[in-house]
Amino acid sequence: MDKEILLHAYSLMCTAGSMAKIYEDNHSICKYVHSTSRGHEAIQLATAFQLLPCDYVSPYYRDESLLLGLGFSPYTLMLQLLAKADDIFTGGKAYYAHPNYRGDDKPTIIPQSSATGMQAIPATGIAQGLQYLLQINSPLYNKGKNGEAPIVICSLGDASITEGEVSEALQVAVLKKLPIIYLVQDNDWGISVTSFESRNMNAFKYAKGFKGLKRVRIDGSNFLESYETMKTVVKDVRKNSVPFLVRAKVPLLGHHTSGVRKEFYRSEEDLEAHAKKDPLPKLKNHLLHLGISESDLNEIERIAVEEASGQFEEAKLACEPDPSNLSEHIFASTKIVEEAGERTPLGKDKIVMVDAALFAIREIMEDFPEAVLYGQDVGRRLGGVFRETATLGEQFGDQRVFNTAIQEAYIIGSTAGMSATGVKPIVEVQFADYIFPGINQLYTELAKSCFLSDGKFPVQTVIRVPTGAYGGGGPYHSGSVETLLLSIKGIKIVYPSNAADMKGLMKAAFLDPNPVIMLEHKGLYWSKVPGTEDAKSVEPNRDYVLPLGKGNIVLKADENKVKHGESCCVITYGMGVYWAKNAAKKFPGQIEIIDLRTLFPLDEALIFSTVKKHGKCLVLTEEQQNNSFAEALAGRISKECFEFLDAPVEVSGALNLPAVPINVVLEKEMLPNEEKVEKVIDRLLSY
């Protein structure tokens, strides 16, 4: 092996060791929780040295040596350690060794969480995105200077292999033959839990069960072995586009983290056994054997220590973040801020909501070759359990419209990786009741990505979620989940109530550079529920867009009634629009109805001005009422409009039951309806 590579590796190992010592000696200054790479340096550097700027890397929190090997300076890493303003990764918002990076000089690094194993799905989504871009010969598919195919490195600890979401990622990688390497660094510890008590097999043995996943195990503390192995593996993946798992056995020489110290739970015998496998003296002995003098190696170490110490002193003096900027980068800005295009063109027939969604997606896919559609049963064979994507598979092919396994975590989490490559995914969770396995990825990876990358990695995706109850759907196909979703910051929630809104909002959601969830009420899809005929509407033109965050007055009250205090307003969305409209027939001219259309961002200006105008307000929801979004909104209305209110703000929702019963009589008893809304309105108007 080239001596220069060995000497470079030795220098960076000395740097990593020096950084670890500096952090330990300055514990009060390095107050934020952190981990170091001591013991893992050899395999991390060996991996980094193989990578090109066209590649992608998803590190985990102990990968500082990998980052040094990619060319990041100690100073850059230390700024993140100390949470300084000039931290190029997150601006002082995330932990040490939680990088993200876009640039022409290094591999792309998407944000990754501290939740172990969670990065496997977004990283696999990157590989899937790269494969698609190659298939369509997209200019977004960037090769290396010499035509090298880009690959993905997903770095994991062995303890994370027990996570179910890692299994989902491996399943897709082998099924699709994706160009990804899962680098598993096995140090035998998962905080205080040993490998022997927490898992029946290591990652290498586990990988055997995934047919098509190549695998190799190496001594990750031996730089030469690690370098040659990773060189071979990377070459294979670039050439043949195959998934690979590398299990690298390494010692853990540092603490689990600065807050969970090794002496808390590890025996002297264990610490001594790990110390004997230190990669630094191993590499030093090899260099001595090659004829490099001890004085030359000592000089390399001296320089590394000196430079790391100097850069730490600089980092300490760097500025703290400006708190006034804290709310920046929650979302990337969208260009769709005004309603545009023709909503009700002449000569067109009315369509149902399910067709409005189909037509919107068809036009999107015709206009944007990077758009793909996937989820359970959405492919050409069925076109979704509601047939809402019927014919799209036939028109666009299996590369662009395809089925997935029952993997809600992968369906949602892969969009973070897909989006990073420039692919624009539209995905579907079959029923709102089944979104829960995907909440981890939604909350941990997608929602935080833009904020924690200082705007570098917003996740552009539309996540379709059929929701709501009608006709005896039962306890696992009738749920409403908007309150749960609205508690997650960093995503947008849309809830259309008619076909025109569906098409306009779908287009705006797709063009929005952030994660947008489309909650689509199943009972409105075909307007089969009595009283929902108005959900049908003339199909808007192709250019029609409806910006998120704009509510709509679907029924205006008579101004004379308003003037004499004989009116009230109903704030609602989805099926609630039709319960309110039908109930309003009993109170001619007295009811004004606001259809929110988007639950976040929320049109508070329209809500508050309407409530102030009437002085009486009902917030109507299909969700179980207690602790719901509707109750929270009522509280905000009460605070903002207090001096204008003539009555307490009313909230009406479903009964507070754990699930929607399947029997239609019981379902009706649980849900709001026209008659129940009438009673609440009558009470409000009596004030």
Side-chain angles (χ1 to χ4, degrees), residues 115-314:
T116 54
M118 295 305 98
Q119 69 270 39
I121 286 178
T124 307
I126 295 173
Q128 193 169 4
L130 291 174
Q131 184 185 70
Y132 174 69
L133 294 175
L134 176 63
Q135 289 170 342
I136 66 169
N137 196 28
S138 170
L140 297 174
Y141 184 79
N142 294 319
K143 295 183 178 181
K145 288 191 300 183
N146 299 311
E148 299 94 341
I151 65 164
V152 182
I153 298 284
C154 178
S155 180
L156 301 157
D158 193 70
S160 69
I161 296 299
T162 59
E163 287 278 2
E165 294 184 23
V166 174
S167 173
E168 290 191 19
L170 297 178
Q171 289 276 5
V172 175
V174 296
L175 177 68
K176 302 288 186 179
K177 298 181 175 59
L178 300 179
I180 184 169
I181 299 167
Y182 300 96
L183 172 61
V184 180
Q185 301 172 58
D186 185 356
N187 60 31
D188 270 337
W189 285 98
I191 309 186
S192 68
V193 181
T194 68
S195 59
F196 306 105
E197 63 184 303
S198 63
R199 48 197 186 273
N200 187 50
M201 63 188 77
N202 61 46
F204 179 79
K205 294 179 180 178
Y206 182 64
K208 186 178 181 180
F210 294 88
K211 186 179 180 181
L213 179 61
K214 291 191 173 184
R215 61 192 180 124
V216 65
R217 50 187 169 188
I218 59 173
D219 178 0
S221 67
N222 183 317
F223 177 78
L224 280 80
E225 181 182 345
S226 297
Y227 185 91
E228 293 297 343
T229 300
M230 293 307 298
K231 182 178 179 181
T232 300
V233 170
V234 168
K235 183 179 179 181
D236 187 8
V237 177
R238 285 197 200 284
K239 181 181 179 181
N240 300 309
S241 186
V242 290
F244 222 117
L245 184 140
V246 178
R247 184 227 179 191
K249 195 71 173 67
V250 291
L252 178 59
L253 303 182
H255 306 291
H256 170 71
T257 66
S258 55
V260 183
R261 302 178 68 79
K262 57 189 178 183
E263 59 268 19
F264 292 173
Y265 57 91
R266 294 175 67 183
S267 67
E268 286 294 329
E269 292 78 12
D270 177 69
L271 293 170
E272 289 173 6
H274 279 247
K276 290 176 182 178
K277 300 173 184 176
D278 190 336
L280 182 60
K282 282 186 179 182
L283 181 54
K284 183 174 183 179
N285 289 335
H286 182 71
L287 289 167
L288 290 170
H289 180 72
L290 292 177
I292 309 296
S293 70
E294 179 128 23
S295 61
D296 285 346
L297 295 178
N298 288 341
E299 179 63 10
I300 290 173
E301 183 176 1
R302 185 194 67 78
I303 292 172
V305 171
E306 184 178 283
E307 290 182 350
S309 298
Q311 291 182 51
F312 182 71
E313 293 303 315
E314 289 183 50

Side-chain angles (χ1 to χ4, degrees), residues 373-395:
L373 172 68
Y374 58 97
Q376 296 167 39
D377 299 304
V378 304
R380 70 172 76 197
R381 198 173 293 116
L382 182 63
V385 294
F386 298 103
R387 303 290 293 150
E388 80 281 13
T389 58
T391 73
L392 293 179
E394 293 289 343
Q395 181 175 350

Side-chain angles (χ1 to χ4, degrees), residues 350-364:
K350 287 187 175 184
I351 60 172
V352 292
M353 279 183 66
V354 73
D355 284 344
L358 169 65
F359 300 158
I361 295 172
R362 174 182 292 148
E363 291 172 359
I364 287 168

Side-chain angles (χ1 to χ4, degrees), residues 4-20 37-38 40-42 44-46 48-49 64-74 77 223 280 283 287 300-301 303-305 307-308 311:
E4 291 304 313
I5 293 175
L6 295 172
L7 289 170
H8 184 44
Y10 183 73
S11 173
L12 291 179
M13 282 192 195
C14 291
T15 298
S18 176
M19 292 164 68
S37 59
R38 286 292 289 120
H40 294 231
E41 302 98 325
Q44 291 182 18
L45 293 171
F49 290 174
E64 68 179 359
S65 284
L66 187 149
L67 298 175
L68 291 171
L70 293 176
F72 292 103
S73 68
L77 303 186
F223 177 78
L280 182 60
L283 181 54
L287 289 167
I300 290 173
E301 183 176 1
I303 292 172
V305 171
E307 290 182 350
Q311 291 182 51

Side-chain angles (χ1 to χ4, degrees), residues 326-357:
L326 181 57
S327 294
E328 294 180 355
H329 304 303
I330 298 172
F331 294 107
S333 60
T334 178
K335 296 179 181 178
I336 308 300
V337 294
E338 297 291 340
E339 187 173 4
E342 194 167 357
R343 180 181 173 96
T344 54
L346 296 175
K348 281 197 173 185
D349 295 330
K350 287 187 175 184
I351 60 172
V352 292
M353 279 183 66
V354 73
D355 284 344

